Amino acid sequence: MRPTVRSDSTPVLEVHLFDFDRDVYGRRVQVRFFKKLRDEEKYPDLDTLTAAIARDVANARAFFHHSGSQAPRTSQAV
């Protein structure tokens, strides 16, 4: 769901791919979950949502840094 930008209850999975610049729209990708960053929230505006996403990115990068591993490499077979 995307409660800040849509009001319907259609489940949506949005994924941020770190350090990745290929076009994969419409392609099938595999996603692995390592850590939950936060619960679903409705933000009062897009600026607040953008700030939350920036915090999510920082927290995810810190997770991989402090766990002693790197974010998984993206397969070139996409």
Side-chain angles (χ1 to χ4, degrees):
M1 294 177 248
R2 299 171 64 198
T4 301
V5 295
R6 288 171 54 177
S7 61
D8 70 16
S9 60
T10 304
V12 175
L13 177 65
E14 296 178 307
V15 177
H16 183 100
L17 303 175
F18 295 134
D19 308 316
F20 184 81
D21 64 356
R22 294 179 53 204
D23 182 5
V24 293
Y25 282 96
R27 305 293 300 266
R28 184 176 294 238
V29 297
Q30 182 178 11
V31 176
R32 290 180 26 201
F33 295 93
F34 288 85
K35 181 179 189 299
K36 182 176 180 177
L37 297 175
R38 64 177 163 85
D39 289 327
E40 184 83 38
E41 290 186 50
K42 180 174 174 117
Y43 296 96
D45 53 53
L46 291 179
D47 288 337
T48 308
L49 171 61
T50 300
I53 292 170
R55 284 190 305 275
D56 293 344
V57 168
N59 289 335
R61 286 189 184 275
F63 167 78
F64 286 111
H65 176 76
H66 294 302
S67 70
S69 63
Q70 295 181 358
R73 298 274 183 229
T74 306
S75 170
Q76 295 301 317
V78 172

